[in-house]
Amino acid sequence: MDIVKIGAIGITGVLLAVFFRTIKAEYSVYIGVITGLLIFGITIQNLAVFMDEVQRFQSVISADNGFLAILLKIVGITYICEFCAGICRDAGYGAVGGQIEIFGKVMVLLTGLPILLSVIQTIQNFKG
């Protein structure tokens, strides 16, 4: 059960960070970053299993694989930006975290433009 492992790592990391915050504040930030990286590493391992299933799914359907790749890129962008922005906020740099989120939103918009263009072209083909 990976969720139990993630929960235990998260709770342990938070409790350690709270404890060390009174001793040395910078240690609590380091503990938070290390805890986040541990959880992120476990998540990446699970994403490898997910990617194997997606490749199997792509071999079964005959749809355009480019759209699925774009959607996976968008999901990756959102996860990475959220993770980095969270670390920045925990370290006390909320403005930097906000800028990372804005950048992520712009990148999602730019990455998704080919899908939007394809939808518009499909609608135009139905019109006439």
Side-chain angles (χ1 to χ4, degrees):
M1 279 277 212
D2 284 340
I3 191 66
V4 174
K5 188 187 319 180
I6 296 295
I9 291 170
I11 290 171
T12 304
V14 167
L15 291 175
L16 283 172
V18 168
F19 174 74
F20 279 103
R21 184 175 292 157
T22 59
I23 298 169
K24 265 199 154 181
E26 60 268 12
Y27 288 170
S28 67
V29 173
Y30 298 144
I31 291 170
V33 170
I34 291 170
T35 302
L37 288 174
L38 283 171
I39 293 172
F40 190 69
I42 294 169
T43 303
I44 294 297
Q45 289 174 350
N46 287 326
L47 280 177
V49 173
F50 173 75
M51 291 304 295
D52 291 340
E53 292 298 319
V54 167
Q55 287 175 348
R56 195 177 72 151
F57 179 72
Q58 283 179 337
S59 67
V60 172
I61 63 171
S62 61
D64 186 8
N65 291 337
F67 291 139
L68 191 54
I70 289 172
L71 289 174
L72 290 174
K73 284 180 187 177
I74 289 172
V75 170
I77 290 169
T78 56
Y79 279 130
I80 291 170
C81 287
E82 183 69 26
F83 179 74
C84 294
I87 288 175
C88 290
R89 283 196 181 88
D90 288 346
Y93 294 95
V96 175
Q99 293 301 316
I100 290 172
E101 287 180 341
I102 290 171
F103 176 77
K105 290 174 185 176
V106 169
M107 291 307 298
V108 165
L109 178 67
L110 291 175
T111 305
L113 280 178
I115 294 176
L116 179 63
L117 182 62
S118 176
V119 169
I120 291 172
Q121 286 174 347
T122 302
I123 292 171
Q124 285 179 340
N125 289 340
F126 283 138
K127 277 173 79 175

